Amino acid sequence: MSVAIENFVKAIYKNNNNDVNDTKPGNIAKKLGISNAAATDMAKKLAAKDILNYEKYQALQLTNKGEKMALNVIRKHRLWEAFLHKTFDMTLHEIHREAEFLEHETSNFLANKISDYLGNPKFDPHGDPIPNENGEITTIDTSISLSNTQEGKQYIISRLMSDDKEFFDFCALNGLKYGNSILVTKQFSKNKMTQISINNNTILLNEDFTNIIYVNDTN
Amino acid sequence: MSVAIENFVKAIYKNNNNDVNDTKPGNIAKKLGISNAAATDMAKKLAAKDILNYEKYQALQLTNKGEKMALNVIRKHRLWEAFLHKTFDMTLHEIHREAEFLEHETSNFLANKISDYLGNPKFDPHGDPIPNENGEITTIDTSISLSNTQEGKQYIISRLMSDDKEFFDFCALNGLKYGNSILVTKQFSKNKMTQISINNNTILLNEDFTNIIYVNDTN
DNA sequence: ATTAATTTTTAAGCTTACTTAAATTTTTTA
DNA sequence: TAAAAAATTTAAGTAAGCTTAAAAATTAAT
């Protein structure tokens, strides 16, 4: 499959979360930086290949085949991220940037080699789940966003849901890393800010950040 | 630069050894598995970009710029080979196959990370020299083909110049590996065969193989 | 419930990287 | 050295993956 097709199914898969309209051609086009016309064109082509269901003016929906394709690319992306992070100690932004290219030129053979080497991890350094060889994500995500945490409680960072360099730089600078422990010291409900303590530092985070930082209860 | 262009300049660079005619469009076409017409087409395009010199019916010649491009791709290819071989213990055939794709989607940034990680090696697992970041190959090759070795002398394997799976399988099976030591026990000049001793095994090699196995004198 | 704004689709056209077929030039060989 | 063979080039055409512009349909707003 071509890079264009792989990116297309990936974009649909990733947009398929909240609003049904998020997988309409225009939104996929915006995500990929192509024209709406190009997205419609591609949608028709992929429908003919049974990769997605296309009906005029409706949202695009991946078939089983299409979803498998998307998960296969996402698997390779996240395996590369995990591998580059571990091996070369590259930043969250750098690993994403490189994986974005490598994912399309990686055989299943090599993907499995990487996975084995890493001990078949279930999460990448952003906390995103890594699908297995069959495109299955077995792990149940029990994490909540930092916005919904309670004052005085301890949490483990489980996901940094972004691809923004500025955000990652901020996280790296402040020890906000997958697996690290934090204490929520204050929730300012009025202005939607959260104060946390990490490595003996106190940090105040606004809603933009607390919405994309996910954590697990330490029990 | 596109994959097609990178492969084109690479093919010219690699064919530019013995016969001048080896870089004529037809031979490049054959190497790349495209039609002669396509090769001529591409040659004209690249000439317009000052990547090579094109004159009707003449052999193609890379400009400085074109050669730099070729060496940059070759550098990435060989770094990947070295890395995959070391990290995943993949065979010479497997590393070549994967590197053939990865080389086109590797940033200079990542290439340097890989190089640093490996200790900036000067040779890949086939014994092929790895150009540095500036496209320079500093090492002087003093190796000779096994066909030209002398009876009773000890040599170090310095290069396995092939991309044939069968050959690599044979090498792996018999310990014929970059850096390994061998003793030339007999040269059968009449039928152009060479008998060697390696790991207490005696192997008889025909011309096809002795021509592509290079060695260095142990002095 | 119309009107306005937005989105989607259609249509026409472009570039890249190929193809095959025919014409031309070069090279080989007898 | 002239004819035959081979290689190269030109010409015409194709598919993928885009573009812009205009038409059609949907969605939002008053």
Side-chain angles (χ1 to χ4, degrees):
Chain A
M1 287 297 128
S2 72
V3 172
I5 294 178
E6 288 188 347
N7 280 331
F8 203 85
V9 295
K10 201 175 102 177
I12 296 174
Y13 181 88
K14 289 202 154 192
N15 266 20
N16 193 26
N17 296 307
N18 315 310
D19 192 345
V20 193
N21 292 326
D22 288 350
T23 64
K24 281 195 169 181
N27 290 316
I28 301 302
K30 198 175 290 171
K31 187 150 190 166
L32 295 175
I34 61 177
S35 68
N36 287 5
T40 300
D41 244 40
M42 181 61 95
K44 284 187 194 169
K45 271 188 210 163
L46 298 190
K49 293 185 180 183
D50 190 36
I51 289 168
L52 53 78
N53 296 315
Y54 171 71
E55 279 187 85
K56 268 193 186 184
Y57 303 106
Q58 303 302 307
L60 306 176
Q61 292 189 302
L62 293 176
T63 61
N64 276 354
K65 184 178 165 189
E67 189 166 303
K68 278 255 167 104
M69 282 182 53
L71 285 160
N72 189 249
V73 183
I74 288 170
R75 166 175 165 80
K76 288 166 184 172
H77 180 99
R78 293 179 181 168
L79 281 172
W80 272 119
E81 289 196 326
F83 184 75
L84 296 176
H85 190 62
K86 179 181 177 177
T87 309
F88 302 124
D89 198 32
M90 283 159 56
T91 69
L92 291 190
H93 175 251
E94 287 165 350
I95 61 176
H96 178 78
R97 190 188 60 201
E98 303 293 335
E100 205 65 17
F101 293 103
L102 294 173
E103 62 183 11
H104 303 296
E105 301 302 335
T106 306
S107 66
N108 290 337
F109 173 85
L110 179 55
N112 289 342
K113 287 272 178 190
I114 298 171
S115 184
D116 286 347
Y117 177 85
L118 296 170
N120 301 301
K122 295 240 184 298
F123 298 97
D124 74 11
H126 299 91
D128 298 327
I130 302 176
N132 71 14
E133 210 186 337
N134 303 314
E136 293 154 354
I137 296 174
T138 52
T139 44
I140 301 147
D141 189 5
T142 58
S143 60
I144 53 171
S145 90
L146 243 183
S147 332
N148 301 320
T149 52
Q150 290 167 33
E151 275 180 16
K153 270 196 159 182
Q154 196 94 25
Y155 295 92
I156 303 283
I157 297 173
S158 65
R159 205 160 179 183
L160 302 167
M161 217 180 246
S162 166
D163 45 24
D164 177 48
K165 182 178 185 310
E166 304 277 305
F167 173 66
F168 291 142
D169 285 349
F170 174 84
C171 290
L173 197 65
N174 293 286
L176 293 167
K177 192 178 168 178
Y178 177 78
N180 280 7
S181 180
I182 61 166
L183 174 67
V184 175
T185 48
K186 194 108 185 76
Q187 284 285 15
F188 298 94
S189 56
K190 192 179 277 176
N191 40 20
K192 297 182 173 175
M193 297 188 86
T194 303
Q195 193 184 63
I196 63 166
S197 174
I198 179 166
N199 299 335
N200 294 317
N201 283 317
T202 297
I203 308 169
L204 195 59
L205 300 164
N206 72 5
E207 204 187 9
D208 287 348
F209 280 15
T210 56
N211 279 341
I212 57 178
I213 297 173
Y214 282 73
V215 296
N216 271 316
D217 215 298
T218 53
N219 287 322
Chain B
M1 287 298 127
S2 72
V3 173
I5 294 178
E6 289 188 347
N7 281 331
F8 202 86
V9 295
K10 201 175 103 177
I12 297 174
Y13 182 88
K14 289 202 156 193
N15 265 20
N16 193 27
N17 296 306
N18 315 310
D19 192 344
V20 193
N21 293 325
D22 288 351
T23 64
K24 281 194 170 180
N27 289 316
I28 301 302
K30 198 175 290 170
K31 187 149 191 168
L32 295 174
I34 60 177
S35 69
N36 287 4
T40 300
D41 245 39
M42 181 61 94
K44 284 187 193 169
K45 271 187 211 164
L46 298 191
K49 292 184 180 185
D50 191 35
I51 288 169
L52 53 76
N53 296 316
Y54 171 71
E55 278 186 85
K56 270 193 184 184
Y57 302 107
Q58 303 303 307
L60 305 176
Q61 293 189 301
L62 292 176
T63 61
N64 276 353
K65 185 178 163 188
E67 189 167 302
K68 277 256 166 101
M69 282 179 54
L71 285 160
N72 190 249
V73 183
I74 289 170
R75 166 176 165 79
K76 287 165 184 172
H77 181 98
R78 293 179 181 168
L79 281 172
W80 273 119
E81 289 195 327
F83 184 74
L84 296 175
H85 190 62
K86 178 181 178 178
T87 309
F88 302 126
D89 198 32
M90 284 159 56
T91 69
L92 292 189
H93 176 251
E94 287 165 350
I95 61 176
H96 178 78
R97 190 189 60 201
E98 303 293 336
E100 205 66 15
F101 293 104
L102 295 173
E103 63 182 9
H104 303 296
E105 301 302 335
T106 306
S107 66
N108 291 336
F109 172 85
L110 179 56
N112 290 340
K113 287 272 178 191
I114 297 171
S115 183
D116 286 348
Y117 177 84
L118 295 170
N120 301 301
K122 297 240 184 296
F123 298 97
D124 74 11
H126 299 91
D128 297 328
I130 301 175
N132 70 14
E133 211 187 336
N134 303 314
E136 292 155 354
I137 296 173
T138 52
T139 44
I140 301 147
D141 189 4
T142 58
S143 61
I144 53 172
S145 91
L146 244 183
S147 332
N148 300 320
T149 51
Q150 289 167 33
E151 276 181 16
K153 271 195 159 183
Q154 195 93 25
Y155 296 93
I156 303 284
I157 297 173
S158 65
R159 205 159 178 183
L160 302 168
M161 217 182 246
S162 167
D163 46 24
D164 178 48
K165 183 178 185 310
E166 304 278 305
F167 174 67
F168 291 143
D169 286 349
F170 174 84
C171 290
L173 198 65
N174 292 286
L176 292 166
K177 191 177 167 177
Y178 176 77
N180 280 7
S181 182
I182 59 165
L183 174 68
V184 174
T185 48
K186 194 108 185 75
Q187 284 285 15
F188 298 95
S189 56
K190 193 180 275 177
N191 39 21
K192 297 183 173 173
M193 297 189 88
T194 303
Q195 194 183 61
I196 63 167
S197 173
I198 180 167
N199 299 336
N200 294 319
N201 282 318
T202 297
I203 309 170
L204 194 60
L205 300 165
N206 72 6
E207 205 186 9
D208 287 348
F209 280 14
T210 57
N211 279 342
I212 56 176
I213 298 173
Y214 282 72
V215 295
N216 271 315
D217 215 298
T218 52
N219 287 321

